[in-house]
Amino acid sequence: MSRYVISLGGNALGNNAEEQKKLLKYVALAIYPLIEMNHDIVIVHGNGPQVGMINLAFSESSSTPMMPFAECGAMSQGYIGFHIQNAIQNIMLERHIKRPISTVVTQVLVDEKDPAFQHPSKPIGAFYSREYATELEEKYGYTMFEDAGRGYRRVIASPKPVDIIEKESILSLLNDKHIVIAAGGGGIPVIIKDGGLIGVDAVIDKDHASAKMAEIIGADELFILTAVENVFINYNTPEQKALTSVTLKELDEYLMHDHFKKGSMLPKIEACMNFVRATNKPAVIAQLEKAVEAFKQKSGTIIHP
Ligand code: ADP
Ligand code: MG
């Protein structure tokens, strides 16, 4: 029996509630063999489009109160967690298997002094006119940014995860054989202030949060499921080549030559390298549709120490 962290990308969730429910059936089917084998499983998921929708719904409506970004993140964890629980429970009912499954609303500690807070980089929410953007800056202290001629958008920081506040809860649930859904959307970012924890307006990269989770819970393997079958070097060029098995040393070399795109493949590579370096255990980046093969290390890119 092994312990796995499985990280799901945005494509596993679709663009609205109906689509999400449908797509998660396939995710549940892919994960089912591991559930049946009684492995310990923590599922981490993205929430970019979902938290964007929630945030937008509150900020566009004059009849709802201001909703801080951390609270929007918590809502997205709840609603995506509900759909993942429901999809897995239905597969288990169909196959007459019983295992408890729980979603943990997860806070992830970040460092107030993380340099990312000085350079907010993640655009969220709608596009606004220059006048309205200035108003928002003055009223709420937002950082607004001109986004490629399309208008002004709010940008927030993307600090690195330092610790998982609910780690003891997650470990207890795993020891009781629960399938656990946690750190959705990279977790709700919190900092320590005056001896307490408070939510901050930021987004933690879900790939980095998955790697931190895998390290903290002592996972035997980290699986990052995404839209491509492999990590490629010379991606999207005639020299493109799929990597099937790669070491940290080889990846260092590829990193120096910018083979992985910032904001998409690079955070996955960095996150996997952090986990592999910290634990000496392997990490796999694979396609969601090939998850069953990837869990047997027969598909995807395996990153070795
Ligand atoms: P997720 O929602 O799973 O986090 P992302 O879109 O953020 O997915 O990242 C995966 C995407 O990264 C792939 O679909 C691919 O388009 C892109 N990508 C960039 N560089 C590479 C590379 N070197 N090898 C493979 N995919 C790459
Ligand atoms: Mg991504």
Side-chain angles (χ1 to χ4, degrees), residues 221-225 272 276 282-286 294-295 297 299-303:
E221 203 159 342
L222 165 65
F223 290 100
I224 297 186
L225 302 179
C272 286
V276 174
V284 176
I285 298 172
F295 293 142
Q297 297 202 346
S299 181
T301 299
I302 307 168
I303 298 152

Side-chain angles (χ1 to χ4, degrees), residues 34-214:
L34 301 181
I35 296 174
E36 198 181 23
M37 285 188 273
N38 220 22
H39 292 305
D40 288 350
I41 301 163
V42 174
I43 300 168
V44 177
H45 58 81
N47 77 342
Q50 294 76 14
V51 76
M53 283 188 268
I54 294 168
N55 184 247
L56 202 61
F58 277 99
S59 51
E60 294 286 276
S61 157
S62 52
S63 54
T64 53
M66 264 291 288
M67 194 57 68
F69 201 70
E71 276 74 359
C72 294
M75 289 183 199
S76 79
Q77 288 186 346
Y79 127 74
I80 298 168
F82 153 50
H83 277 177
I84 298 177
Q85 283 174 214
N86 186 265
I88 292 179
Q89 279 158 339
N90 283 339
I91 298 279
M92 289 195 293
L93 279 171
E94 206 182 283
R95 313 272 171 108
H96 307 289
I97 272 217
K98 242 183 141 160
R99 266 184 79 175
I101 173 162
S102 310
T103 298
V104 178
V105 174
T106 315
Q107 304 169 88
V108 172
L109 184 69
V110 297
D111 183 355
E112 197 184 0
K113 297 197 186 72
D114 191 307
F117 282 110
Q118 303 309 316
H119 307 280
S121 59
K122 268 283 211 229
I124 57 159
F127 295 91
Y128 299 109
S129 70
R130 188 170 38 173
E131 295 70 40
Y132 194 56
T134 312
E135 197 181 314
L136 289 173
E137 272 180 328
E138 281 163 7
K139 206 159 154 195
Y140 299 118
Y142 290 178
T143 307
M144 305 298 290
F145 182 80
E146 218 283 327
D147 194 337
R150 292 178 294 178
Y152 284 76
R153 243 177 142 191
R154 185 177 175 202
V155 283
I156 58 177
S158 186
K160 291 281 177 300
V162 174
D163 199 6
I164 292 170
I165 304 298
E166 284 77 15
K167 62 188 171 201
E168 281 86 7
S169 312
I170 295 164
L171 285 166
S172 300
L173 289 167
L174 285 175
N175 288 338
D176 285 337
K177 298 310 291 179
H178 285 240
I179 300 153
V180 180
I181 302 147
I188 304 158
V190 294
I191 56 168
I192 298 175
K193 192 115 193 167
D194 304 324
L197 297 170
I198 55 162
V200 289
D201 287 352
V203 251
I204 302 167
D205 180 87
K206 77 114 195 357
D207 299 315
H208 282 284
S210 313
K212 186 50 88 180
M213 175 72 73

Side-chain angles (χ1 to χ4, degrees), residues 9-10 206 226-228 230 232 235 259-261 263-265 268:
K206 77 114 195 357
T226 183
V228 278
N230 290 92
F232 295 94
Y235 185 59
H259 282 284
F260 315 116
K261 209 168 148 210
S264 59
M265 191 46 77
K268 294 185 201 315

